[in-house]
Amino acid sequence: MAIRRICKYGEKVLEKKTRKVDYAEVKKDLPALLADMFETMDAVGGAGLAANQIGLDLRLAVIKIQRENEEPLSLVIINPELAEKSGSMYEDEGCLSFPGLFAKVRRAAKVKVRALNEKGLPIEINAEGLFAKALQHEMDHLDGITFVDRLPLLSRLKLKPALMKLKQQWKKLDESKMRPM
Ligand code: CO
């Protein structure tokens, strides 16, 4: 297992829609890749990580939601598609490709997502709250959309100076050089 470097804001791979995964094609390499993705996400305390955030053009992501008095909810989504959404929420969001930056983003409160799991089996996920937020955030990544793209123009403009300042720090940040926790 290894921690991978996480691509930061400004890197083109984050702006490109990812390629649908051919499960049979990736099957052999998948366990090692997913282990790396979970390790990378855990090392920086993230709730989700999309494959293109570590530079791979694959429509898959991992999610890990911490829950009170319960085991964390861990999930692999391959080729996820949004089947249904309802309601609305407006909460703070962050992203491992924008470390230290947070902003309120409008999301659906409930979603139904269809995907394949790590075994290549079809799954249907009904989520709300934090879990729904993470699913929408990661699916956006896989479509080449970051959470900052979801902000109204005025918020984006207000955020610009902070973003430019953080961008300088991100240049020096390489998660693959971190020690596993
Ligand atoms: Co993100």
Side-chain angles (χ1 to χ4, degrees), residues 53 94-97 137-138 141:
Q53 287 183 280
C95 178
L96 299 180
S97 295
H137 181 110
E138 297 315 318
H141 270 306

Side-chain angles (χ1 to χ4, degrees), residues 12-29:
K12 290 286 165 230
V13 70
L14 295 174
E15 294 161 23
K16 207 175 142 268
K17 190 178 163 111
T18 51
R19 196 165 43 95
K20 205 170 170 187
V21 171
D22 177 343
Y23 187 80
E25 199 179 280
V26 299
K27 193 178 174 202
K28 191 167 64 68
D29 301 316

